[in-house]
PDB file of all heavy atoms in Angstrom:
ATOM      1  N   ARG A  28     -15.232 175.954 163.928  1.00  0.00           N
ATOM      2  CA  ARG A  28     -15.670 174.620 164.106  1.00  0.00           C
ATOM      3  C   ARG A  28     -15.062 173.717 162.969  1.00  0.00           C
ATOM      4  O   ARG A  28     -14.566 172.643 163.171  1.00  0.00           O
ATOM      5  CB  ARG A  28     -17.134 174.434 164.183  1.00  0.00           C
ATOM      6  CG  ARG A  28     -17.720 174.799 165.496  1.00  0.00           C
ATOM      7  CD  ARG A  28     -19.213 174.540 165.460  1.00  0.00           C
ATOM      8  NE  ARG A  28     -19.992 175.774 165.515  1.00  0.00           N
ATOM      9  CZ  ARG A  28     -21.292 175.853 165.347  1.00  0.00           C
ATOM     10  NH1 ARG A  28     -22.023 174.734 165.170  1.00  0.00           N
ATOM     11  NH2 ARG A  28     -21.894 177.041 165.440  1.00  0.00           N
ATOM     12  N   ILE A  29     -15.211 174.279 161.690  1.00  0.00           N
ATOM     13  CA  ILE A  29     -14.557 173.619 160.535  1.00  0.00           C
ATOM     14  C   ILE A  29     -13.082 173.560 160.672  1.00  0.00           C
ATOM     15  O   ILE A  29     -12.487 172.384 160.426  1.00  0.00           O
ATOM     16  CB  ILE A  29     -14.956 174.309 159.221  1.00  0.00           C
ATOM     17  CG1 ILE A  29     -16.512 174.367 159.003  1.00  0.00           C
ATOM     18  CG2 ILE A  29     -14.270 173.758 158.099  1.00  0.00           C
ATOM     19  CD1 ILE A  29     -16.928 175.254 157.867  1.00  0.00           C
ATOM     20  N   PHE A  30     -12.480 174.554 161.167  1.00  0.00           N
ATOM     21  CA  PHE A  30     -11.042 174.600 161.262  1.00  0.00           C
ATOM     22  C   PHE A  30     -10.571 173.548 162.261  1.00  0.00           C
ATOM     23  O   PHE A  30      -9.563 172.867 162.151  1.00  0.00           O
ATOM     24  CB  PHE A  30     -10.531 175.959 161.693  1.00  0.00           C
ATOM     25  CG  PHE A  30      -9.108 176.045 161.951  1.00  0.00           C
ATOM     26  CD1 PHE A  30      -8.139 176.044 160.809  1.00  0.00           C
ATOM     27  CD2 PHE A  30      -8.507 176.247 163.214  1.00  0.00           C
ATOM     28  CE1 PHE A  30      -6.805 176.058 161.029  1.00  0.00           C
ATOM     29  CE2 PHE A  30      -7.190 176.314 163.393  1.00  0.00           C
ATOM     30  CZ  PHE A  30      -6.306 176.267 162.409  1.00  0.00           C
ATOM     31  N   ALA A  31     -11.318 173.464 163.412  1.00  0.00           N
ATOM     32  CA  ALA A  31     -10.930 172.477 164.462  1.00  0.00           C
ATOM     33  C   ALA A  31     -11.010 171.030 163.970  1.00  0.00           C
ATOM     34  O   ALA A  31     -10.167 170.191 164.258  1.00  0.00           O
ATOM     35  CB  ALA A  31     -11.872 172.660 165.690  1.00  0.00           C
ATOM     36  N   SER A  32     -12.074 170.804 163.160  1.00  0.00           N
ATOM     37  CA  SER A  32     -12.252 169.407 162.609  1.00  0.00           C
ATOM     38  C   SER A  32     -11.207 169.074 161.642  1.00  0.00           C
ATOM     39  O   SER A  32     -10.648 167.982 161.739  1.00  0.00           O
ATOM     40  CB  SER A  32     -13.632 169.332 161.909  1.00  0.00           C
ATOM     41  OG  SER A  32     -14.678 169.646 162.852  1.00  0.00           O
ATOM     42  N   VAL A  33     -10.775 170.082 160.800  1.00  0.00           N
ATOM     43  CA  VAL A  33      -9.791 169.809 159.829  1.00  0.00           C
ATOM     44  C   VAL A  33      -8.417 169.609 160.565  1.00  0.00           C
ATOM     45  O   VAL A  33      -7.616 168.749 160.136  1.00  0.00           O
ATOM     46  CB  VAL A  33      -9.677 170.974 158.826  1.00  0.00           C
ATOM     47  CG1 VAL A  33      -8.433 170.877 157.899  1.00  0.00           C
ATOM     48  CG2 VAL A  33     -10.963 171.091 157.961  1.00  0.00           C
ATOM     49  N   THR A  34      -8.164 170.410 161.561  1.00  0.00           N
ATOM     50  CA  THR A  34      -6.928 170.254 162.319  1.00  0.00           C
ATOM     51  C   THR A  34      -6.769 168.943 162.903  1.00  0.00           C
ATOM     52  O   THR A  34      -5.701 168.339 162.915  1.00  0.00           O
ATOM     53  CB  THR A  34      -6.861 171.359 163.479  1.00  0.00           C
ATOM     54  OG1 THR A  34      -6.898 172.658 162.829  1.00  0.00           O
ATOM     55  CG2 THR A  34      -5.594 171.282 164.234  1.00  0.00           C
ATOM     56  N   PHE A  35      -7.855 168.350 163.470  1.00  0.00           N
ATOM     57  CA  PHE A  35      -7.831 166.981 164.091  1.00  0.00           C
ATOM     58  C   PHE A  35      -7.431 165.979 162.972  1.00  0.00           C
ATOM     59  O   PHE A  35      -6.648 165.132 163.183  1.00  0.00           O
ATOM     60  CB  PHE A  35      -9.248 166.748 164.634  1.00  0.00           C
ATOM     61  CG  PHE A  35      -9.298 165.211 165.172  1.00  0.00           C
ATOM     62  CD1 PHE A  35      -8.711 164.934 166.404  1.00  0.00           C
ATOM     63  CD2 PHE A  35      -9.889 164.252 164.469  1.00  0.00           C
ATOM     64  CE1 PHE A  35      -8.781 163.584 166.885  1.00  0.00           C
ATOM     65  CE2 PHE A  35     -10.000 162.886 164.864  1.00  0.00           C
ATOM     66  CZ  PHE A  35      -9.331 162.681 166.129  1.00  0.00           C
ATOM     67  N   GLY A  36      -8.020 166.161 161.761  1.00  0.00           N
ATOM     68  CA  GLY A  36      -7.661 165.271 160.659  1.00  0.00           C
ATOM     69  C   GLY A  36      -6.213 165.272 160.311  1.00  0.00           C
ATOM     70  O   GLY A  36      -5.514 164.310 159.967  1.00  0.00           O
ATOM     71  N   LYS A  37      -5.625 166.559 160.372  1.00  0.00           N
ATOM     72  CA  LYS A  37      -4.207 166.740 160.048  1.00  0.00           C
ATOM     73  C   LYS A  37      -3.359 166.026 161.074  1.00  0.00           C
ATOM     74  O   LYS A  37      -2.263 165.554 160.688  1.00  0.00           O
ATOM     75  CB  LYS A  37      -3.818 168.227 160.020  1.00  0.00           C
ATOM     76  CG  LYS A  37      -4.534 169.029 158.856  1.00  0.00           C
ATOM     77  CD  LYS A  37      -4.340 170.476 159.038  1.00  0.00           C
ATOM     78  CE  LYS A  37      -5.074 171.263 157.943  1.00  0.00           C
ATOM     79  NZ  LYS A  37      -4.971 172.752 158.205  1.00  0.00           N
ATOM     80  N   LEU A  38      -3.697 165.946 162.311  1.00  0.00           N
ATOM     81  CA  LEU A  38      -2.903 165.361 163.343  1.00  0.00           C
ATOM     82  C   LEU A  38      -2.786 163.895 162.992  1.00  0.00           C
ATOM     83  O   LEU A  38      -1.698 163.202 163.449  1.00  0.00           O
ATOM     84  CB  LEU A  38      -3.561 165.523 164.694  1.00  0.00           C
ATOM     85  CG  LEU A  38      -3.526 167.006 165.291  1.00  0.00           C
ATOM     86  CD1 LEU A  38      -4.422 167.040 166.512  1.00  0.00           C
ATOM     87  CD2 LEU A  38      -2.105 167.351 165.668  1.00  0.00           C
ATOM     88  N   LEU A  39      -3.775 163.229 162.450  1.00  0.00           N
ATOM     89  CA  LEU A  39      -3.704 161.843 162.059  1.00  0.00           C
ATOM     90  C   LEU A  39      -2.656 161.500 161.085  1.00  0.00           C
ATOM     91  O   LEU A  39      -2.190 160.336 161.058  1.00  0.00           O
ATOM     92  CB  LEU A  39      -5.106 161.377 161.564  1.00  0.00           C
ATOM     93  CG  LEU A  39      -6.230 161.639 162.551  1.00  0.00           C
ATOM     94  CD1 LEU A  39      -7.524 161.121 161.888  1.00  0.00           C
ATOM     95  CD2 LEU A  39      -6.092 160.787 163.851  1.00  0.00           C
ATOM     96  N   PHE A  40      -2.175 162.446 160.318  1.00  0.00           N
ATOM     97  CA  PHE A  40      -1.206 162.221 159.288  1.00  0.00           C
ATOM     98  C   PHE A  40       0.167 162.634 159.632  1.00  0.00           C
ATOM     99  O   PHE A  40       1.097 162.694 158.765  1.00  0.00           O
ATOM    100  CB  PHE A  40      -1.651 162.979 158.018  1.00  0.00           C
ATOM    101  CG  PHE A  40      -2.803 162.364 157.300  1.00  0.00           C
ATOM    102  CD1 PHE A  40      -4.101 162.595 157.691  1.00  0.00           C
ATOM    103  CD2 PHE A  40      -2.614 161.378 156.330  1.00  0.00           C
ATOM    104  CE1 PHE A  40      -5.184 162.011 157.057  1.00  0.00           C
ATOM    105  CE2 PHE A  40      -3.650 160.699 155.686  1.00  0.00           C
ATOM    106  CZ  PHE A  40      -4.949 161.077 156.118  1.00  0.00           C
ATOM    107  N   ILE A  41       0.469 162.815 160.915  1.00  0.00           N
ATOM    108  CA  ILE A  41       1.770 163.176 161.341  1.00  0.00           C
ATOM    109  C   ILE A  41       2.813 162.060 160.953  1.00  0.00           C
ATOM    110  O   ILE A  41       3.971 162.391 160.569  1.00  0.00           O
ATOM    111  CB  ILE A  41       1.831 163.394 162.919  1.00  0.00           C
ATOM    112  CG1 ILE A  41       1.106 164.777 163.207  1.00  0.00           C
ATOM    113  CG2 ILE A  41       3.199 163.381 163.470  1.00  0.00           C
ATOM    114  CD1 ILE A  41       1.055 165.122 164.680  1.00  0.00           C
ATOM    115  N   PRO A  42       2.461 160.736 161.107  1.00  0.00           N
ATOM    116  CA  PRO A  42       3.528 159.796 160.741  1.00  0.00           C
ATOM    117  C   PRO A  42       3.543 159.406 159.243  1.00  0.00           C
ATOM    118  O   PRO A  42       4.316 158.557 158.871  1.00  0.00           O
ATOM    119  CB  PRO A  42       2.964 158.471 161.525  1.00  0.00           C
ATOM    120  CG  PRO A  42       1.808 158.920 162.368  1.00  0.00           C
ATOM    121  CD  PRO A  42       1.268 160.180 161.661  1.00  0.00           C
ATOM    122  N   SER A  43       2.802 160.169 158.399  1.00  0.00           N
ATOM    123  CA  SER A  43       2.765 159.783 156.992  1.00  0.00           C
ATOM    124  C   SER A  43       3.998 160.068 156.204  1.00  0.00           C
ATOM    125  O   SER A  43       4.930 160.686 156.744  1.00  0.00           O
ATOM    126  CB  SER A  43       1.539 160.564 156.362  1.00  0.00           C
ATOM    127  OG  SER A  43       1.762 161.912 156.337  1.00  0.00           O
ATOM    128  N   TYR A  44       4.068 159.714 154.980  1.00  0.00           N
ATOM    129  CA  TYR A  44       5.127 159.922 154.056  1.00  0.00           C
ATOM    130  C   TYR A  44       5.596 161.506 154.075  1.00  0.00           C
ATOM    131  O   TYR A  44       4.691 162.385 154.176  1.00  0.00           O
ATOM    132  CB  TYR A  44       4.781 159.586 152.694  1.00  0.00           C
ATOM    133  CG  TYR A  44       5.667 160.210 151.621  1.00  0.00           C
ATOM    134  CD1 TYR A  44       6.920 159.776 151.243  1.00  0.00           C
ATOM    135  CD2 TYR A  44       5.095 161.348 150.950  1.00  0.00           C
ATOM    136  CE1 TYR A  44       7.670 160.502 150.283  1.00  0.00           C
ATOM    137  CE2 TYR A  44       5.845 162.019 149.982  1.00  0.00           C
ATOM    138  CZ  TYR A  44       7.115 161.523 149.628  1.00  0.00           C
ATOM    139  OH  TYR A  44       7.828 162.247 148.763  1.00  0.00           O
ATOM    140  N   ARG A  45       6.852 161.758 154.027  1.00  0.00           N
ATOM    141  CA  ARG A  45       7.372 163.098 153.858  1.00  0.00           C
ATOM    142  C   ARG A  45       8.315 163.134 152.783  1.00  0.00           C
ATOM    143  O   ARG A  45       9.133 162.258 152.592  1.00  0.00           O
ATOM    144  CB  ARG A  45       7.935 163.589 155.228  1.00  0.00           C
ATOM    145  CG  ARG A  45       8.991 162.694 155.713  1.00  0.00           C
ATOM    146  CD  ARG A  45       9.378 163.108 157.198  1.00  0.00           C
ATOM    147  NE  ARG A  45      10.511 162.179 157.639  1.00  0.00           N
ATOM    148  CZ  ARG A  45      10.291 160.943 158.068  1.00  0.00           C
ATOM    149  NH1 ARG A  45       9.114 160.445 158.197  1.00  0.00           N
ATOM    150  NH2 ARG A  45      11.390 160.235 158.499  1.00  0.00           N
ATOM    151  N   SER A  46       8.370 164.263 152.062  1.00  0.00           N
ATOM    152  CA  SER A  46       9.282 164.395 150.966  1.00  0.00           C
ATOM    153  C   SER A  46      10.618 164.910 151.401  1.00  0.00           C
ATOM    154  O   SER A  46      10.902 165.197 152.624  1.00  0.00           O
ATOM    155  CB  SER A  46       8.655 165.397 149.893  1.00  0.00           C
ATOM    156  OG  SER A  46       8.675 166.676 150.403  1.00  0.00           O
ATOM    157  N   THR A  47      11.481 165.246 150.472  1.00  0.00           N
ATOM    158  CA  THR A  47      12.817 165.799 150.765  1.00  0.00           C
ATOM    159  C   THR A  47      12.653 167.207 151.268  1.00  0.00           C
ATOM    160  O   THR A  47      13.554 167.790 151.964  1.00  0.00           O
ATOM    161  CB  THR A  47      13.727 165.916 149.535  1.00  0.00           C
ATOM    162  OG1 THR A  47      13.028 166.528 148.472  1.00  0.00           O
ATOM    163  CG2 THR A  47      14.101 164.478 149.068  1.00  0.00           C
ATOM    164  N   ASP A  48      11.435 167.902 151.030  1.00  0.00           N
ATOM    165  CA  ASP A  48      11.242 169.182 151.660  1.00  0.00           C
ATOM    166  C   ASP A  48      11.283 169.116 153.161  1.00  0.00           C
ATOM    167  O   ASP A  48      11.536 170.180 153.784  1.00  0.00           O
ATOM    168  CB  ASP A  48       9.902 169.773 151.128  1.00  0.00           C
ATOM    169  CG  ASP A  48       9.998 170.259 149.731  1.00  0.00           C
ATOM    170  OD1 ASP A  48      11.096 170.746 149.347  1.00  0.00           O
ATOM    171  OD2 ASP A  48       8.988 170.361 148.997  1.00  0.00           O
ATOM    172  N   PHE A  49      10.987 168.035 153.721  1.00  0.00           N
ATOM    173  CA  PHE A  49      11.094 167.952 155.160  1.00  0.00           C
ATOM    174  C   PHE A  49      12.516 168.224 155.618  1.00  0.00           C
ATOM    175  O   PHE A  49      12.797 168.968 156.587  1.00  0.00           O
ATOM    176  CB  PHE A  49      10.629 166.456 155.636  1.00  0.00           C
ATOM    177  CG  PHE A  49      10.627 166.328 157.121  1.00  0.00           C
ATOM    178  CD1 PHE A  49       9.539 166.536 157.871  1.00  0.00           C
ATOM    179  CD2 PHE A  49      11.787 165.761 157.723  1.00  0.00           C
ATOM    180  CE1 PHE A  49       9.562 166.435 159.261  1.00  0.00           C
ATOM    181  CE2 PHE A  49      11.767 165.606 159.105  1.00  0.00           C
ATOM    182  CZ  PHE A  49      10.645 165.905 159.813  1.00  0.00           C
ATOM    183  N   GLU A  50      13.502 167.536 154.941  1.00  0.00           N
ATOM    184  CA  GLU A  50      14.843 167.697 155.314  1.00  0.00           C
ATOM    185  C   GLU A  50      15.417 169.127 154.844  1.00  0.00           C
ATOM    186  O   GLU A  50      16.140 169.711 155.616  1.00  0.00           O
ATOM    187  CB  GLU A  50      15.669 166.692 154.531  1.00  0.00           C
ATOM    188  CG  GLU A  50      17.181 166.897 154.615  1.00  0.00           C
ATOM    189  CD  GLU A  50      17.826 166.948 155.944  1.00  0.00           C
ATOM    190  OE1 GLU A  50      17.244 166.544 157.006  1.00  0.00           O
ATOM    191  OE2 GLU A  50      18.992 167.397 156.064  1.00  0.00           O
ATOM    192  N   VAL A  51      14.743 169.659 153.848  1.00  0.00           N
ATOM    193  CA  VAL A  51      15.090 171.009 153.442  1.00  0.00           C
ATOM    194  C   VAL A  51      14.829 172.018 154.626  1.00  0.00           C
ATOM    195  O   VAL A  51      15.625 172.807 154.994  1.00  0.00           O
ATOM    196  CB  VAL A  51      14.315 171.478 152.268  1.00  0.00           C
ATOM    197  CG1 VAL A  51      14.344 172.935 151.959  1.00  0.00           C
ATOM    198  CG2 VAL A  51      14.739 170.739 150.987  1.00  0.00           C
ATOM    199  N   HIS A  52      13.584 171.839 155.163  1.00  0.00           N
ATOM    200  CA  HIS A  52      13.216 172.842 156.252  1.00  0.00           C
ATOM    201  C   HIS A  52      13.955 172.549 157.518  1.00  0.00           C
ATOM    202  O   HIS A  52      14.223 173.394 158.339  1.00  0.00           O
ATOM    203  CB  HIS A  52      11.696 172.792 156.444  1.00  0.00           C
ATOM    204  CG  HIS A  52      10.976 173.574 155.308  1.00  0.00           C
ATOM    205  ND1 HIS A  52      10.795 174.875 155.296  1.00  0.00           N
ATOM    206  CD2 HIS A  52      10.368 173.099 154.177  1.00  0.00           C
ATOM    207  CE1 HIS A  52      10.160 175.233 154.205  1.00  0.00           C
ATOM    208  NE2 HIS A  52       9.891 174.159 153.539  1.00  0.00           N
ATOM    209  N   ARG A  53      14.240 171.225 157.757  1.00  0.00           N
ATOM    210  CA  ARG A  53      15.040 170.939 158.992  1.00  0.00           C
ATOM    211  C   ARG A  53      16.407 171.535 158.858  1.00  0.00           C
ATOM    212  O   ARG A  53      16.963 172.092 159.843  1.00  0.00           O
ATOM    213  CB  ARG A  53      15.161 169.379 159.197  1.00  0.00           C
ATOM    214  CG  ARG A  53      15.857 168.966 160.423  1.00  0.00           C
ATOM    215  CD  ARG A  53      16.709 167.761 160.308  1.00  0.00           C
ATOM    216  NE  ARG A  53      17.801 167.970 159.301  1.00  0.00           N
ATOM    217  CZ  ARG A  53      18.912 168.611 159.545  1.00  0.00           C
ATOM    218  NH1 ARG A  53      19.160 169.129 160.738  1.00  0.00           N
ATOM    219  NH2 ARG A  53      19.835 168.682 158.572  1.00  0.00           N
TER     220      ARG A  53
END
Side-chain angles (χ1 to χ4, degrees):
R28 279 184 250 173
I29 296 174
F30 178 71
S32 300
V33 172
T34 300
F35 176 76
K37 293 171 183 175
L38 290 170
L39 300 178
F40 285 85
I41 287 178
S43 64
Y44 156 82
R45 56 192 182 276
S46 72
T47 53
D48 280 333
F49 181 89
E50 168 60 15
V51 169
H52 286 280
R53 186 216 59 81

